Amino acid sequence: MPNVTTTSAPRLIALLLDEHDDTQQLVRHAEDVLDMAHPAAREVHALCVTRTRNPELAERLQRLPLGAIVCIVAADLREPVQAADFTRVLQRALEMHALDATDCVCAPAGALGEEVVARLAAGFDGCAFGRVQHLSFEAGGAQADRAVFGGRSTVRVRAASGPWFAALRTSRSGGALAAPATPPALEWREASSGPHDDTEIVMVPGDAARMPVETARVVVSGGRGMQGSEGFELLAQLAARFDATLGGSLPAVDAGWVPVTHQVGQSGKFVSPSVYLAVGISGTPQHLAGVSTTTRIVAINNDADADIFRIADVGIVADWSTFIPALIARVDACRSARTHAS
Ligand SMILES: Cc1cc2nc3c(=O)[nH]c(=O)nc-3n(C[C@H](O)[C@H](O)[C@H](O)COP(=O)(O)OP(=O)(O)OC[C@H]3O[C@@H](n4cnc5c(N)ncnc54)[C@H](O)[C@@H]3O)c2cc1C
C-alpha cells in the first residue's frame, strides 16, 4: 500500500479521464472541481490520462486557474475501456504527486470515474465517498453531499481522515472561470497501463439493450411514438454507434419494446447521462422526473407542440422513421471518412 503522509497544503486533485478522451468533457470536469474548490480555497491540480497527446486539451487547461497540470499519455489503454488500466496509471501518478492525507481526489461521475476512485481509495487506504454532488472541507475533515432516492433527497456524509476519493456529478452552470495571471505549469508524461493481470475482471463490449441505464453516459430512449419493436431495433443500432444504452418510457415498457429495467421516469430509473436522446416521447412530468436536470436533452418528435420541446436543449421536429435512418447513415459516413483520412 502506498505511503500517505501530511506534508503539503491541502489540494483537490482533479482526475481528468473519459472513455472517449473527449476534450470538452475533460475540461468541463476540471471546471467543476475548480468551482467546488473556490470557497474552500484549495489549490486544484489536474491529472489527465489520454491515449494520445492532446495539445488542444493542454492549452485549454492552461487557461484555467489550476495549480499544476500533468498530462499523461498512455497509448496502451485497452478497448473497451478498462477502469483497472486507468487506476494503474493514476496510482503511480498520485504516488509521484506525493498524495497527502489532506488531499481530495475527484474523478468525473460515471461508470469509469466511479470505479477508478473506488479502486484508488482501496489502494491508498483512503475514504471513498462514491458519487457526490458537492464536497466541502473543514478542520475536522471532509463532507460530501450525495443524492439518494433517485435524486429526490440528499444525505451529507462526513469523514475525518483522508485522503478522500469521490466521483463528482457535473453541476456547473456558471460562466467562464477567471484566467490565471500566468499559465499553470504543464508536464507531459508517457506511461504504460500495464502490466495486465490475466486474472483481473475486464469489461467486454456490451449489448446496448442490456447495459445499465443508470450509469450510462448517453441514453437513447424511445416512447409510444416508436409504434413498435422495429422502431426500437433502429434505436438500438443508433445506440451502438454512440456506446449508448437504450431507455424507454412507461408505455414503451408496457408494450414490451424495452425491458422494465430500462424504464426512465418517476416509477422507473433515474438517469444522469451527458446526453439523453428522447425519440417519440411527449415529455410528461412522470417521464422527465427520471432525467437529471444537468443532462442535455435532445428530442425528436413529429409534433412541434410536444411538451418535450419546452425543456429540450436541442429539438428536432421530424418523423423518427425518416430521421433516425438518415442520422445512422450520416454517422457511418463521417466515421468512414475519418478512417480513410487517418
Ligand atoms: C404514478 C405514475 C407514474 C408514472 N411513471 C412513469 C415513468 O416512470 N415513466 C414514464 O415514461 N411514464 C410514467 N408514467 C406515465 C406518464 O404519465 C405518460 O403516460 C408517459 O410518460 C407517456 O409516454 P410517451 O411520451 O412515450 O407517450 P405519449 O405521451 O403518447 O407520447 C408519444 C409521443 O410520440 C410522438 N410521436 C408519435 N409518432 C411519432 C413519429 N413517427 N416520430 C416522432 N414522434 C412521434 C407524439 O407526437 C407524442 O409526443 C406514470 C404515470 C403515473 C400516473
Side-chain angles (χ1 to χ4, degrees), residues 158-240:
R158 288 196 175 86
S161 54
W164 302 281
F165 294 81
L168 181 66
R169 272 176 66 166
T170 301
S171 55
R172 187 157 205 278
S173 55
L177 291 157
T182 49
L186 168 68
E187 183 189 342
W188 286 101
R189 276 186 216 157
E190 289 193 4
S192 162
S193 68
H196 305 142
D197 178 351
D198 286 346
T199 61
E200 75 191 19
I201 295 169
V202 292
M203 299 287 285
V204 294
D207 170 351
R210 295 209 186 124
M211 290 192 298
V213 76
E214 307 92 303
T215 52
R217 185 189 134 111
V218 179
V219 175
V220 173
S221 203
R224 190 177 354 233
M226 295 310 294
Q227 295 150 7
S229 50
E230 298 77 17
F232 268 85
E233 274 161 31
L234 212 50
L235 290 187
Q237 288 174 30
L238 183 65

Side-chain angles (χ1 to χ4, degrees), residues 40-322:
R42 286 193 163 221
E43 190 166 79
V44 178
H45 291 200
L47 282 187
C48 178
V49 183
T50 53
R51 290 166 187 78
T52 54
R53 201 175 164 103
N54 183 342
E56 186 206 339
L57 170 67
E59 198 251 316
R60 287 182 61 180
L61 290 175
Q62 283 197 296
R63 281 189 246 144
L64 298 176
L66 291 159
I69 304 165
V70 179
C71 286
I72 304 165
V73 179
D76 62 349
L77 289 168
R78 286 172 292 179
E79 289 285 354
V81 73
Q82 306 294 332
D85 290 0
F86 280 90
T87 307
R88 271 188 293 271
V89 172
L90 285 163
Q91 173 124 7
R92 292 192 288 259
L94 287 169
E95 284 166 29
M96 284 175 72
H97 220 64
L99 188 70
D100 194 292
T102 59
D103 286 336
C104 181
V105 179
C106 277
L112 176 64
E114 285 163 38
E115 187 174 339
V116 166
V117 285
R119 284 172 178 261
L120 287 172
F124 283 99
D125 200 19
C127 166
F129 276 132
R131 180 188 291 210
V132 307
Q133 292 158 296
H134 187 72
L135 285 161
S136 50
F137 305 91
E138 52 194 27
Q143 51 189 27
D145 292 344
R146 296 185 50 157
V148 291
F149 301 120
R152 290 174 192 87
S153 191
T154 305
V155 292
R156 182 159 288 177
V157 188
R158 288 196 175 86
S161 54
W164 302 281
F165 294 81
L168 181 66
R169 272 176 66 166
T170 301
S171 55
R172 187 157 205 278
S173 55
L177 291 157
T182 49
L186 168 68
E187 183 189 342
W188 286 101
R189 276 186 216 157
E190 289 193 4
S192 162
S193 68
H196 305 142
D197 178 351
D198 286 346
T199 61
E200 75 191 19
I201 295 169
V202 292
M203 299 287 285
V204 294
D207 170 351
R210 295 209 186 124
M211 290 192 298
V213 76
E214 307 92 303
T215 52
R217 185 189 134 111
V218 179
V219 175
V220 173
S221 203
R224 190 177 354 233
M226 295 310 294
Q227 295 150 7
S229 50
E230 298 77 17
F232 268 85
E233 274 161 31
L234 212 50
L235 290 187
Q237 288 174 30
L238 183 65
R241 281 157 174 82
F242 292 116
D243 287 335
T245 298
L246 269 189
S249 68
L250 176 65
V253 169
D254 280 349
W257 304 334
V258 64
V260 68
T261 46
H262 290 234
Q263 180 188 321
V264 174
Q266 183 180 322
S267 49
K269 295 284 168 59
F270 181 80
V271 299
S272 53
S274 305
V275 176
Y276 186 78
L277 180 65
V279 190
I281 290 176
S282 61
T284 59
Q286 293 86 0
H287 184 76
L288 294 172
V291 185
S292 168
T293 51
T294 59
T295 290
R296 276 168 278 179
I297 297 178
V298 179
I300 302 171
N301 199 302
N302 63 357
D303 176 4
D305 294 324
D307 283 341
I308 190 95
F309 290 135
R310 292 178 207 278
I311 159 166
D313 298 273
V314 177
I316 299 150
V317 181
D319 191 312
W320 63 263
S321 62
T322 49

